[in-house]
Amino acid sequence: MDSNIPDDGESLSKSERRRTRILQMLMSGATAQIRDLAEALGVSLMTVHRDLAALEKEGLVRRLRGAVSAEKSLLFESSYNYRGRKQVEEKRRLARAAVARLEPGNAVVCDDSTTTYYICDFIEEMTPLTVITNAVPILERLKTVPEIDLIAAGGRYHAGYNGYFGAVCERTLRSFHVDVAIMSTTTIQGLSLFTPDEIVVRAKQAMMEIARRKILLADATKFQFTALNYVAQITDFDLVLLTGDVPAANLEQLRKAGVAFELV
């Protein structure tokens, strides 16, 4: 397992969700007023100060006279690791179930998510495979694995997502046709998938276009978030693998929409 993604198996608490959101808000490199963060999150100044103190202790942010900014040298790498620490066991269950749906000889495209990363723990069971990805952790993990033909979807490196994005990445992806896309999502709202960043949207949509079958991986926390940018409908996926305590109302909505899903 990658040492940059510790296996703590914790559930994402309310405070951790806020802190992840704070990191997302600061990833542009801008300085934010702490009072504005409190208003955007709908919490008290005291609550935000507690969250910022925890993030500052991890070396992610710097507070100065009522404002906060990202630590430029540490934020982007650490924000990926921060997300990667959460729901590790759930992510591994999802990844194991996804790999079980592959067949030797398949060509597979994988997105940059910290969930999809964990296919690396199981993928040797299904080799030989061709794997295409824009995710640096997956490239690093699989580059020495026998019988995997590894293809990097290049482009402009984005440290916050630890992957390659942009026009070059999208053109590269669209030059292939693959058997399976394995993807995750920031959030599921109703029957729609959303993510905070437009560049991630475009890469994910390119992956969906080139895949004969599409598998979505999502733990229960994905139904708790909101995000700005629309990615796709959940009905666009051939199989949705879910884990954790997914609300019964959400499961019923998926059933009524005819979504093929499994709890793992």
Side-chain angles (χ1 to χ4, degrees), residues 17 32 51-52 60 68 79 87 123 129 150 160 165-166 168 184 188 194 196 203 219 245 249 251 258:
R17 292 198 298 272
D51 290 336
L52 293 175
L60 299 177
V68 61
S79 64
Q87 286 80 47
I123 202 164
L129 291 168
L150 186 62
F165 296 90
V168 173
S184 188
I188 302 170
F194 292 86
D219 63 74
D245 189 17
L251 294 177

Side-chain angles (χ1 to χ4, degrees), residues 129-180:
L129 291 168
T130 297
V131 176
I132 304 168
T133 186
N134 63 334
V136 170
I138 295 177
L139 292 168
E140 286 293 315
R141 182 76 179 274
L142 298 184
K143 67 183 181 182
T144 58
V145 176
E147 295 192 287
I148 287 186
D149 184 14
L150 186 62
I151 300 173
R156 185 179 298 276
Y157 178 71
H158 191 299
Y161 298 111
N162 206 1
Y164 297 99
F165 296 90
V168 173
C169 173
E170 294 155 28
R171 286 197 300 269
T172 301
L173 289 169
R174 289 191 172 98
S175 68
F176 297 104
H177 179 72
V178 302
D179 298 293
V180 183

Side-chain angles (χ1 to χ4, degrees), residues 56-72:
E56 193 170 37
K57 186 176 180 180
E58 292 194 43
L60 299 177
V61 302
R62 176 184 298 173
R63 290 181 290 175
L64 181 65
R65 293 192 294 274
V68 61
S69 63
E71 285 285 8
K72 302 297 191 297

Side-chain angles (χ1 to χ4, degrees), residues 78-92:
S78 299
S79 64
Y80 180 89
N81 296 338
Y82 187 85
R83 289 180 285 121
R85 290 203 301 263
K86 309 307 174 185
Q87 286 80 47
V88 171
E89 287 308 314
E90 289 89 343
K91 291 173 181 178
R92 294 187 82 247

